[in-house]
Amino acid sequence: METSVRVLCNSNIAGGFKIQKDVSLPVTYVRSAEDLLKDLGGNPPSARPVLAFFAGGIHGYLRPILLQHWSEKEPDMKIFGPMPRDPEGKAKYRELMKSSKYCICARGYEVHTPRVVESIHYECVPVIISDNYVPPFFEVLDWESFSVFVLEKDVRDLRNILLSIPEEKYMKMQRRLKIVQQYFLWHKNPVKYDLFHMILHSIWYNRVFQVKSE
């Protein structure tokens, strides 16, 4: 294990994930096996009236704090627990992601969450609240150019943090998000630079780094 490149969803530095050796595996949902790109994309920035959106299971220590401070507190903060998983509930979930400027990616029991990739799919700037989390493809992607990182201890100040981001900076992040989206897509037959190739690139990159280090 010491010399192996581990590919982990739970890319937690505090849990033993080693940067420049291990690989962070994106957590993704496949909505439709027949149409892997179904519902891809979202509303333009001018049609995103919601400042921030989150919905999900309330597990781990952080999510109860998120709901305590922001559920039903501000009209532009759509912060919920689990939404219904019937077709209508899933459609509402997608529409909220497509209509929000920022999508909250708060850790649960573990540091990873599928909302990171979901946010990218729906062109909603990810707000990652997960200390010690190493995002996928960090070797080649500048995550701070298309997402926001908030410390877990600062969740109580979440709205002020988001409102303090200038509109021009948000627009740049949203544009860059649409550019990197191609790296997080599955295809039935792999396409150059898609998720399949990016995972293999991360493994190759870290293996080469190991060899050079040795």
Side-chain angles (χ1 to χ4, degrees):
M1 293 295 289
E2 285 299 316
T3 58
S4 298
V5 176
R6 300 184 303 160
V7 184
L8 305 169
C9 291
N10 193 36
S11 51
N12 183 354
I13 295 176
F17 184 90
K18 295 182 180 179
I19 292 178
Q20 297 179 329
K21 184 179 86 67
D22 297 330
V23 170
S24 179
L25 182 67
V27 184
T28 62
Y29 288 131
V30 175
R31 301 293 182 189
S32 168
E34 296 305 314
D35 182 2
L36 297 176
L37 304 183
K38 185 178 181 180
D39 296 317
L40 185 69
N43 299 341
S46 60
R48 290 178 177 265
V50 178
L51 176 65
F53 166 64
F54 172 86
I58 308 306
H59 50 79
Y61 91 94
L62 181 66
R63 293 183 183 184
I65 297 173
L66 176 67
L67 262 70
Q68 176 189 346
H69 285 275
W70 296 115
S71 179
E72 300 183 357
K73 295 296 193 297
E74 297 286 348
D76 59 356
M77 298 281 285
K78 305 297 184 184
I79 308 297
F80 309 109
M83 295 182 70
R85 298 194 60 82
D86 57 18
E88 183 179 345
K90 291 179 179 180
K92 179 65 174 177
Y93 179 90
R94 290 193 297 272
E95 183 53 38
L96 281 166
M97 276 205 157
K98 291 170 178 280
S99 303
S100 300
K101 294 176 67 175
Y102 299 97
C103 286
I104 309 304
C105 307
R107 65 168 297 163
Y109 287 129
E110 305 292 354
V111 295
H112 66 278
T113 166
R115 284 162 192 79
V116 175
V117 176
E118 281 185 319
S119 300
I120 295 171
H121 282 186
Y122 300 132
E123 298 166 7
C124 179
V125 173
V127 178
I128 299 172
I129 312 177
S130 183
D131 298 353
N132 299 313
Y133 172 63
V134 180
F137 318 140
F138 67 94
E139 307 93 346
V140 292
L141 297 183
D142 179 10
W143 276 81
E144 292 188 348
S145 72
F146 60 87
S147 59
V148 179
F149 288 84
V150 174
L151 293 174
E152 294 172 12
K153 68 179 181 64
D154 293 332
V155 69
R156 297 168 180 82
D157 200 34
L158 180 59
R159 186 167 185 270
N160 288 335
I161 291 171
L162 298 180
L163 289 175
S164 71
I165 298 173
E167 184 68 14
E168 182 181 357
K169 182 176 180 181
Y170 163 74
M171 294 295 290
K172 285 183 179 179
M173 287 192 292
Q174 217 268 343
R175 287 196 296 270
R176 289 168 178 164
L177 188 68
K178 294 175 72 171
I179 292 171
V180 303
Q181 186 185 71
Q182 63 177 314
Y183 307 133
F184 295 88
L185 303 179
W186 289 115
H187 301 87
K188 285 191 174 183
N189 296 310
V191 174
K192 195 173 183 180
Y193 304 124
D194 71 357
L195 191 52
F196 174 79
H197 284 100
M198 291 298 290
I199 292 169
L200 292 184
H201 177 271
S202 288
I203 296 170
W204 167 83
Y205 182 96
N206 285 339
R207 183 56 187 153
V208 169
F209 182 88
Q210 275 191 299
V211 171
K212 288 182 177 180
S213 299
E214 293 167 1

